[in-house]
Structures are given as C-alpha cells and as structure tokens.
Amino acid sequence: MKLGSTLLTAHLWLVLAFLYVPIVVMAVLGFNASPLYALPFEFDPVWYRALTSNTKLIDAGIHSVGIAIVNTIIATTLGTMAALAFARYSFRGKTIMQLLLFPPIAIPWLVIGTAMLVFFFWIDIKRGLFAILLGHVALSLPYVIVVVGARLATFPHAVEEAAATLGATPWQTFRRVTAPLLAPGVIGGGLFAFAVSFDQFVISYFLAPAGVTTLPVEIYGAIRKGFTPEINAISTIIIVVSMGVLLLTARFYRFGGER
Amino acid sequence: MAVADQRNRGTILALTGPAYLWLTVTIFLPLSAMLYCSFLDKSPLVPQPASLTLKHYAAFIERPVYQQLMLWSLELGAVVTICCLIIGYPAALALAKVIKGRWREAMFLMVVLPFWSNALVRTFSWTMVLRPGGLADQAIHVVAPDAPALNLLYSYPAVVVGLVHSYLPYMILTCYISLQAIDDSVIEAARSLGARSGALFRRVVFPMSLPGVLAGSALIFVPAVGSFMEPRILGGAKGATLGMAVEEQFTVTANWPFGAALSFLMLGAVLLICLALYPAARKRMEGL
Amino acid sequence: MSTVTVTDAVKKYDAVAALDSVTMTFREGELFGLLGPSGSGKTTLLRAIAGFVSLDRGQVLIDGQNVGGVPVHARNIGMMFQNYALFPHMSVAENVAFGLEVRGRPREEVARRVNEALAMVRLGGLEQRKPKQLSGGQQQRVALARALVTRPKVLLLDEPLGALDKHLRQEMQVELRRIQRQVGITTIFVTHDQEEALTLSDRIAIFNFGRIIQEGAPMEVYERPVTKFAAGFLGEANFLQGRVTAIEPNGLARVALDLGGEALCRLIGGQAGQTVLLALRPEKIKLSTDSQAGTNAVRGKVLDVVFSGNSTTYRVRVGNQVITLFRQNLAQGTVAPGSEVVLSWSPDHLVQVTP
C-alpha cells in the first residue's frame, strides 16, 4: 500500500508536469531574442515590445476584454435571477428547464458556432462583436446558473426568518443578510463567465467578420501563417490573465465539493 | 419551497424569462435553424429560393471519403478518451485518497487551472515542444546524440497529445469528485473483510467511481470527436477530421447545408454511441 | 411583559390539520413548553405566533391585539431557531446589534445594550468572534442574547437545546431558566424532549394531531395524565385494564384487573360494571420477594433486569401482561430473573385515563 501511494503521488506530479511544461516552454521562448526560437536562450523582452506596436492585436485584445466584461455583467445578472427562481420555487417544467442547460455545455462548440452563424444570417444579425457577445452570454449562462445555484442550495434560509423576527423589513433582510451571504456565489459565477468569454475561440471564430476580431481569433490566424515569438508573448499574457481570474474564482467559490 | 400559485408565476417568469429567452435565441433556435438548413438544396447565401432535399445526407452515404472522416473522428475521440482515462484516473485517485489537507487543495487547483485557460493557446504551446528543434527533439538528442532530427509536429500522435492535454483535467475532475465521495469507512470495511489492494480496487473503489469515469468520458468524447482547431494546428493536413470538414463547408466552400448535414450526422453518431452504452452503464451503476 | 392568546386556531396542509381548533392562553412572564411528537402541530403554533404561518381560521392576540395582519418584522417578538440561525458573516457583536440597528437606535445605545446582553449570557470578551469560531453552547447564548436585546414582548424558542449534547443541555437548561426569570419575559418553547419540558416549564401543553391533549403544571400533567397518550408520551407508564366491581363507601373503586388480581383506586364518577383503563408509573411500583398478593398487590415472575446506575429496571410478567418498574439502587441488591415476586402500589398512584 505504501509503495502504491508513492507511485500514485509520483504519477500525479508527472501529470502536472505534462500539463504545465508546454506552457512554461512557450512562456520562456517568448523572452528569447531569436525570431526562430534558436538556442542558446538569450533573454530579451523584444517580443513584448513588439506587441505594443501591433495595433491589430491590441484592438483584438480590447475587444476581448470589453466583450468579457459586458458578458460577465449580463450573464451574471440573468443567471443569478434564474438560479434564484430554481432555488426558491418549485414549478412545472423546472426539471426540463434545468436539463436545457446541458446542450450549451455538451454540444461541440463547432456545431453551436456554425448554427449561430446560420441563424444570425437568417434573422439578419450581422457578424461582429454584438453577435459574438450574444454567443458568449449563451455559453456563460449555464455555468453561472449552476455555480450560483450551488451556493443557493446551501443557503441557510432560517437566517432570513431570524432577521424578520429581529424586526428587519424584507428589504433590510435582503440587503444586510441575503445579499452578503450570496455574494461569494455570485462573484464566483461572474468570474466563471469572464473566463468562459475571455477564452472562447470557436464561437468567436465563426461570428467574427474579417478585420474585427477577438484575441484568440487573431492568434489563430497568426499561428496558421507561421509561428513567431510574438505569439508566445501574447499567449503568455492570455494564460496569465486566465489563470489569475481562475485563482480569484477559487477564492470565492470552492471547487471539488469539499466543505 | 412554495408551490407555484398565480402570484408566484409572475415572479418565476420574470426571473427565468430573460435567461431562457437568451438561450432560445442563441442556442435552441439556431440548432433548429441549422437542422432545417441541412435539408436545403441551396446555400442560404445564394439569393435564389431553395427547396427541401435529402441530397446532403445522401452525399455522405455516396462519398466514402466522408464516412472515412467520420470513422477517423470517432476513433480519435475514443483514443483520446481512453488516454485521458488511463492517465487521469490514477491522478484523481492520488488526489482523492493519498494526498491530504492543504496540499490536496493546492494540487487540485493546479489540475483545474489549465481547465479554463485558453485551449487555443495551450494547443499552440505544444508546437513549441513538438516542432523540429523543440523541447522533445532536444531531449531525445541529450539521450541519443546521433538520432536523426525528430519532427513530431503535424502527425497523428501530436493531435492526440494536444487533445489529451486539453481534456485531461475534465477526467481528473469528474473522477476526483466521485472518488472523494467514497467514504473511507467503506474501504476499511472491505479491508476488514480481507480484501487485498487489487481486489479492493477492482471490486469496491473502481465500481463506486464509475459515475465519474463515465461523466468524464462523455465530456471528453463528444468535443474530441468534433474537434477541428487542434488537428489544424498540430496535425496540419494529415490529421483530417470531420470537424475540419464541417469548418471548411462554412468558411471555405460556403456550402452551409452540407456542413450542417455533416454536423448533425456527427451529433447523431455520438448520440447513438452514448445511447448504446447507456443501458450497460446504468446497470453497473444501480444503487450509486 | 405580555400575554399571548390563541383562539380557535386552524391550519391545514393539504387537508391534514396541523392545528385543529387550538385555543390557549400564555400568561405574563411564564415559561410555557409545547410538547408533542413531530407533526403534532406544536411548531406550527409557534410559527403562527411568530407570523411565519398564516392561520386558516382563528386569531393570535398579543396583549389583546389581533396580530393577524401584522408582518413578522413588526410583531416585536424574539425567536431562537433550532440551529440558532446566527448570521455567519457577522461577528457576535454585530449579530446581537442587528435587531437594534434595523430599528434605527442610536449608536451609543446599541453598543451599551449589546454589552449588557452579552454580559447577561456571560459572553463578554467574545464580541469580535464569528459564529463559526464558537462552540455550540456559545452559539446558543449568542442566539439568546440576540433574541432578547430588542426587549421583545414574547420570546419563542424552537427546540432551543436540541443541537447540544446531553451534558451541555442540562447546563443550558439551568442557564435559560435563570435568564428567563431575570428578564421576566413571556416565553414559549417547543420541544419533543419530555425531560426538557418538565425541567424548564412553568406550564406545559401536550399536542397530538394538531390538538391540545392536556395542559397544566408539569407535575400535575405528569402525575394526573388524562389520556393514555399523555401518560405514555410524558414519562413511561404501565396500562392496566379492568372492570369496576364495586364502589366502596370511602369513594374508592374496586377493580378486577384483566391481568389477574384486584385493585383499589379513585375514579371520576365510576360505577360498577364499567371497564376502566388505569395508568401506573414504573417508579411507583414496589417489588418484594416476601410479601403476599392481595389488593393492589399482584404476583409475577421477573423476566429481565437492566442495571442503569441510579436505578434498576425490571420487567415482570404478571398474568398475560409485562409490567415495567424502576427500583432505586439502595443496598438491597438485585432480584435475579426467574424469581417469583410481588408487585404492589398505593391506590393514589393508579390514574384513570381515557384510551
């Protein structure tokens, strides 16, 4: 058993290495002076400097962040409302409505993305940032509803009754008791929504017109033309932002069902 | 919980309406539209009126190249899923049953961290490892200096490695959740009944974690079959998949109805496979 | 201090009556225990007084005023919940201050009254702790301070000590009693623990199926239960069935017991030929090995003996029935199973109950 435990732990470390080594290699090569990734390694932030004058990438970056922020606001608001309805009321069709949250998560994004392309064309929503935002919110909503719902499921309803017996009006109860207790779940859901949007490639790829893109779409185009350390640099920035958002999320919303 | 009466119905509608209206416009209506589109004889981009036809589905049957693509995609999905299971399950086991306390929390976070970070960027990062003169090449030459230059990029294994890297955290996550739900006292009970480690795993731990294994497999198999970005970047022209064919119909050849038909054939095939495996899976999981 | 009156209260859930025409009065300053099995309506009554449950019929009056249309937050009540329902995101002091702050009391007054309340429950020094950092007993004290600091008209307690272990529970019973006396507030509490109800209450009411079975001082209800349910729910009881054979001149009735033998007891308006059910508490029965059977004394055979520290429980077969009795552990030693014994009791301890 002792040997088995050691082997399992060693395996886990290997898995972590597998997950992180390519990312680290990519990040390191972004600081290498050679445009051909030639070794020996020579530290030079030249590619980061190059980014500052790459207007296409900067525009795409602004679009990505902007869409992610608007997406977060919309998805968190609408998702929290739906989660509240699911938690507070039992009604006909609730189970079906909850099941309907799975298709956006489970169907390959390729299919969803192309389907949006077809439908938006028919109802005359032009390809562009608005269409991309529509798609991102749709993909974020199920996550927000699930995350906020999980928080609501463990919400101690007796504290609201306690507040009422102590003389708090319904509004005082909501503001001073309900809202502060729900905040971690809502913030967690919001961070999820940000991450979903900021990292989304497939949907954006099909809905972005030539010239107006998001960061991942711009990078995809660049990769297909050929690799440059500039791509490493911008990719590293994206990874750092995503992981930063995720670490924040972890602070507000515990994964894994512990505690 | 209150049962919906007239007064609550308005509240419920106001709370759920916006979210589900949004989902309807962006998910459910588009999927329906796409299904309709797959039966049109002309692309919606063509201004002439179109009529309904089955020719795109017939084309799939008549042209073996697409059947071949379908088979390759399903095989790729299966290979990736099995690799994820073989690599991910022991990692989840270590996380759930060996590592304790703050370390567990930290390592769990390390595993799920890449889960949400950009898939495209992570796929790109593998080109840095697999290209000629990349990390893998260098590492081989340290061990065997005379070996010929190694180019793993643009190969089938590269696509598998990239997809496994993308989806492995799913498997670890779902397996971990069901493994850590197994009460240690159940394991102790099995031991007290004389089960050795092998039997303990085969007869108690693995069967009890089956829901996680199956959930993880489904979550990986479905998108892996539909992948197009990873094969494009890591497989180049060689690793053609049905996903790439669908993408081409929409972005290059602009034959939307055929692309839509291929999409639904792919969804149908995946659904059929899941449905075929479902009864057996349910039987094994009775009581869990 | 206030009185609370409930008149003809009816509440139905899907045709099942949780409250079935309950009328009762809680007097000023008394500690009243509502006792009953789960689903008996006691909690529904408490929640109706608090305002969480609206009655289908009947009224709740606080100080003679009908509070039917008054929302919970305007009723000026204090309530302690089963798991305390402390606000997890607030410190001890903030929890206690909440009720004063939502009433818009000035800052200095809030601070002073919070300190007083925490001193009363002996929690001074823990003001800045969060509820999670407190033990169960401490959380209970915070909940009590929070409920009392607003000087409510009535204090409602829902299974106040249910979440504590036995030792702590006994300690808190004494504490609760002390504080309640000190404040002098009309207090109504719900419990399914008969011992707790007997220890704490000035008066109790036993509920079953949404109705009051019996109401009165604990000793009165314990010693003179009126129904079989009341006798069996509050403490333990043996039930002896018999037929009245004669009424003695001194008013005692002579009853031929179904298990064999004869009993003398006091009946309420009994007459010869009538069937009666008599309750007999296990601790009222005397067990001896050397006396004779006779009136209020029956012969039996010991089935088993369970030693439990301060007393010993005997189960004795008498005729076709098994009688349970407790015997104080004096120096006399135990009687072995299988022994022939005689069980006897005083006529005063046979209580007629309705089935």
Side-chain angles (χ1 to χ4, degrees):
Chain A
M1 191 57 196
K2 194 84 197 74
L3 177 73
S5 300
T6 316
L7 281 175
L8 280 177
T9 310
H11 175 81
L12 180 56
W13 282 108
L14 280 176
V15 165
L16 285 175
F18 171 73
L19 288 176
Y20 285 91
V21 163
I23 296 171
V24 172
V25 170
M26 177 192 75
V28 169
L29 289 176
F31 288 102
N32 191 4
S34 160
L36 299 170
Y37 303 107
L39 297 177
F41 180 79
E42 192 187 324
F43 179 82
D44 193 339
V46 58
W47 304 109
Y48 285 84
R49 238 177 286 130
L51 281 185
T52 57
S53 56
N54 188 334
T55 49
K56 268 173 84 179
L57 270 181
I58 290 174
D59 282 351
I62 291 170
H63 295 155
S64 270
V65 173
I67 288 176
I69 290 173
V70 179
N71 168 69
T72 302
I73 295 168
I74 297 174
T76 310
T77 311
L78 302 191
T80 302
M81 283 159 54
L84 271 171
F86 288 147
R88 295 284 158 99
Y89 305 99
S90 67
F91 51 93
R92 270 225 325 244
K94 180 166 145 181
T95 316
I96 291 175
M97 286 174 83
Q98 286 172 316
L99 280 175
L100 282 176
L101 296 175
F102 283 100
I105 298 177
I107 294 178
W109 287 335
L110 169 70
V111 177
I112 293 184
T114 50
M116 286 180 185
L117 178 64
V118 172
F119 183 66
F120 289 174
F121 173 81
W122 266 331
I123 62 166
D124 211 21
I125 295 175
K126 296 275 182 300
R127 283 183 180 196
L129 298 182
F130 176 68
I132 292 174
L133 178 69
L134 282 177
H136 285 195
V137 172
L139 294 188
S140 310
L141 271 174
Y143 291 103
V144 175
I145 295 176
V146 169
V147 169
V148 177
R151 180 82 190 177
L152 279 168
T154 60
F155 187 85
H157 286 285
V159 298
E160 292 179 333
E161 293 191 342
T165 64
L166 291 167
T169 60
W171 169 243
Q172 283 173 320
T173 303
F174 178 79
R175 194 171 55 82
R176 301 201 39 175
V177 177
T178 315
L181 287 176
L182 278 189
V186 175
I187 293 172
L191 290 167
F192 260 87
F194 187 92
V196 168
S197 167
F198 189 69
D199 294 334
Q200 179 50 242
F201 161 68
V202 180
I203 303 284
S204 313
Y205 174 66
F206 286 108
L207 297 179
V212 187
T213 59
T214 63
L215 217 38
V217 178
E218 193 66 39
I219 292 173
Y220 182 69
I223 293 173
R224 301 213 52 196
K225 276 185 220 132
F227 313 148
T228 63
E230 210 175 339
I231 303 176
N232 293 48
I234 186 70
S235 296
T236 307
I237 292 174
I238 291 183
I239 287 274
V240 168
V241 172
S242 308
M243 291 197 175
V245 169
L246 210 92
L247 284 174
L248 265 178
T249 313
R251 218 178 112 27
F252 284 100
Y253 177 79
R254 286 201 174 277
F255 298 98
E258 278 180 293
R259 264 184 280 178
Chain B
M1 225 184 259
V3 175
D5 52 29
Q6 286 302 332
R7 196 174 25 147
N8 288 338
R9 196 161 295 166
T11 317
I12 293 166
L13 200 66
L15 287 174
T16 57
Y20 279 84
L21 186 65
W22 200 294
L23 287 175
T24 304
V25 170
T26 53
I27 305 278
F28 305 123
L29 286 179
L31 285 175
S32 317
M34 177 114 122
L35 186 61
Y36 175 68
C37 176
S38 73
F39 293 108
L40 295 180
D41 64 343
K42 289 185 205 68
S43 171
L45 295 170
V46 182
Q48 291 135 20
S51 52
L52 294 178
T53 174
L54 281 170
K55 73 174 184 185
H56 305 295
Y57 291 93
F60 176 80
I61 296 164
E62 285 155 11
R63 291 158 74 178
V65 56
Y66 288 103
Q67 293 165 34
Q68 191 60 49
L69 282 179
M70 170 79 90
L71 283 180
W72 278 343
S73 292
L74 293 175
E75 186 201 291
L76 180 67
V79 169
V80 169
T81 307
I82 291 166
C83 288
C84 283
L85 181 61
I86 292 171
I87 298 170
Y89 191 88
L93 192 60
L95 208 52
K97 293 291 166 212
V98 181
I99 292 162
K100 304 269 177 232
R102 290 206 68 76
W103 265 109
R104 179 199 283 193
E105 218 169 295
M107 291 187 91
F108 183 77
L109 204 58
M110 294 273 284
V111 168
V112 294
L113 208 47
F115 181 55
W116 283 108
S117 65
N118 201 295
L120 172 73
V121 167
R122 286 195 292 142
T123 305
F124 168 69
S125 75
W126 274 102
T127 65
M128 296 291 107
V129 174
L130 299 173
R131 70 193 179 83
L135 186 73
D137 196 7
Q138 306 260 347
I140 296 271
H141 283 91
V142 171
V143 183
D146 300 329
L150 183 70
N151 188 1
L152 290 170
L153 197 55
Y154 308 132
S155 68
Y156 185 72
V159 176
V160 173
V161 167
L163 285 170
V164 169
H165 186 250
S166 286
Y167 295 119
L168 183 59
Y170 275 113
M171 184 64 85
I172 301 180
L173 184 68
T174 55
C175 290
Y176 169 77
I177 288 170
S178 49
L179 278 169
Q180 69 113 48
I182 302 177
D183 200 325
D184 281 338
S185 63
V186 172
I187 295 174
E188 281 161 14
R191 280 199 180 285
S192 74
L193 293 167
R196 288 164 183 278
S197 295
L200 176 68
F201 178 76
R202 217 174 47 248
R203 310 252 326 250
V204 179
V205 176
F206 189 75
M208 286 183 79
S209 63
L210 216 52
V213 171
L214 291 176
S217 301
L219 280 174
I220 292 169
F221 181 71
V222 177
V225 170
S227 62
F228 76 94
M229 177 266 284
E230 293 89 347
R232 275 249 190 277
I233 295 177
L234 296 172
K238 285 174 198 157
T241 64
L242 198 60
M244 290 164 77
V246 172
E247 184 215 352
E248 270 163 23
Q249 300 307 320
F250 280 94
T251 56
V252 184
T253 53
N255 188 354
W256 288 8
F258 187 48
L262 287 181
S263 284
F264 278 101
L265 285 166
M266 183 168 76
L267 272 186
V270 167
L271 206 66
L272 271 181
I273 289 173
C274 291
L275 280 181
L277 296 176
Y278 177 73
R282 207 180 63 167
K283 198 162 160 40
R284 300 257 349 229
M285 294 198 297
E286 266 167 26
L288 286 178
Chain C
M1 278 199 269
S2 308
T3 56
V4 177
T5 307
V6 178
T7 54
D8 192 28
V10 174
K11 179 71 189 176
K12 285 198 169 90
Y13 292 109
D14 298 334
V16 179
L19 288 178
D20 189 0
S21 189
V22 169
T23 297
M24 62 195 305
T25 298
F26 305 93
R27 298 178 195 141
E28 275 190 12
E30 79 176 341
L31 211 173
F32 199 108
L34 305 178
L35 186 64
S38 59
S40 61
K42 58 189 193 306
T43 305
T44 307
L45 179 62
L46 194 79
R47 293 175 65 80
I49 295 169
F52 292 122
V53 168
S54 56
L55 294 173
D56 298 340
R57 202 177 76 199
Q59 294 181 334
V60 174
L61 304 144
I62 299 179
D63 284 337
Q65 290 218 313
N66 183 0
V67 291
V70 182
V72 178
H73 67 265
R75 287 196 181 188
N76 195 14
I77 49 164
M79 184 156 174
M80 229 172 83
F81 293 79
Q82 208 164 4
N83 293 306
Y84 317 132
L86 296 176
F87 305 126
H89 57 303
M90 298 184 195
S91 68
V92 167
E94 287 165 341
N95 261 283
V96 178
F98 183 88
L100 298 171
E101 281 171 1
V102 296
R103 284 175 170 76
R105 311 306 304 175
R107 192 179 286 265
E108 316 81 67
E109 185 194 333
V110 171
R112 181 173 50 77
R113 283 170 65 176
V114 167
N115 279 335
E116 284 170 11
L118 286 174
M120 178 181 69
V121 296
R122 302 184 183 159
L123 272 185
L126 297 180
E127 288 84 354
Q128 297 317 313
R129 295 265 189 98
K130 289 281 171 72
K132 251 191 196 155
Q133 300 167 308
L134 301 176
S135 70
Q138 288 170 332
Q139 291 185 19
Q140 215 249 350
R141 286 159 194 262
V142 177
L144 187 59
R146 185 179 70 173
L148 286 176
V149 74
T150 57
R151 293 177 195 149
K153 290 178 175 169
V154 195
L155 178 62
L156 306 172
L157 312 173
D158 185 5
E159 300 274 359
L161 308 173
L164 302 177
D165 63 43
K166 191 180 173 205
H167 191 75
L168 200 53
R169 193 155 66 220
Q170 286 170 345
E171 192 186 312
M172 286 308 298
Q173 281 173 3
V174 176
E175 187 77 0
L176 197 60
R177 192 77 250 228
R178 173 183 72 78
I179 293 168
Q180 195 267 340
R181 288 259 160 76
Q182 186 184 331
V183 181
I185 184 173
T186 310
T187 304
I188 305 166
F189 80 103
V190 156
T191 183
H192 64 268
D193 181 342
Q194 37 137 328
E195 199 185 308
E196 190 168 293
L198 291 174
T199 318
L200 276 177
S201 321
D202 295 317
R203 287 197 303 148
I204 59 174
I206 298 179
F207 276 73
N208 200 23
F209 298 120
R211 289 166 175 271
I212 301 172
I213 304 299
Q214 192 172 359
E215 188 183 338
M219 194 193 279
E220 177 192 325
V221 176
Y222 182 82
E223 297 291 354
R224 313 299 312 169
V226 294
T227 70
K228 187 178 178 188
F229 175 81
F233 190 77
L234 197 64
E236 288 182 53
N238 298 292
F239 295 102
L240 311 178
Q241 191 142 7
R243 237 185 63 238
V244 180
T245 50
I247 306 290
E248 297 286 302
N250 59 6
L252 290 177
R254 201 165 280 280
V255 178
L257 298 171
D258 288 4
L259 51 70
E262 187 188 51
L264 262 180
C265 64
R266 211 171 294 280
L267 295 182
I268 308 138
Q271 54 192 25
Q274 181 194 353
T275 326
V276 290
L277 187 65
L278 304 168
L280 178 60
R281 299 275 184 206
E283 74 276 10
K284 316 280 195 202
I285 301 175
K286 221 172 96 192
L287 176 145
S288 73
T289 47
D290 52 3
S291 42
Q292 294 298 307
T295 302
N296 284 346
V298 293
R299 185 173 295 281
K301 191 172 173 185
V302 176
L303 288 177
D304 49 47
V305 180
V306 178
F307 174 75
S308 50
N310 58 3
S311 69
T312 303
T313 304
Y314 289 85
R315 296 199 321 127
V316 179
R317 174 165 288 286
V318 181
N320 56 0
Q321 210 178 329
V322 176
I323 302 287
T324 303
L325 67 100
F326 306 144
R327 198 183 190 208
Q328 287 292 309
N329 283 331
L330 304 171
Q332 82 272 47
T334 58
V335 177
S339 312
E340 292 281 333
V341 293
V342 170
L343 308 182
S344 57
W345 54 83
S346 137
D348 290 338
H349 292 145
L350 276 178
V351 182
Q352 184 191 10
V353 294
T354 56

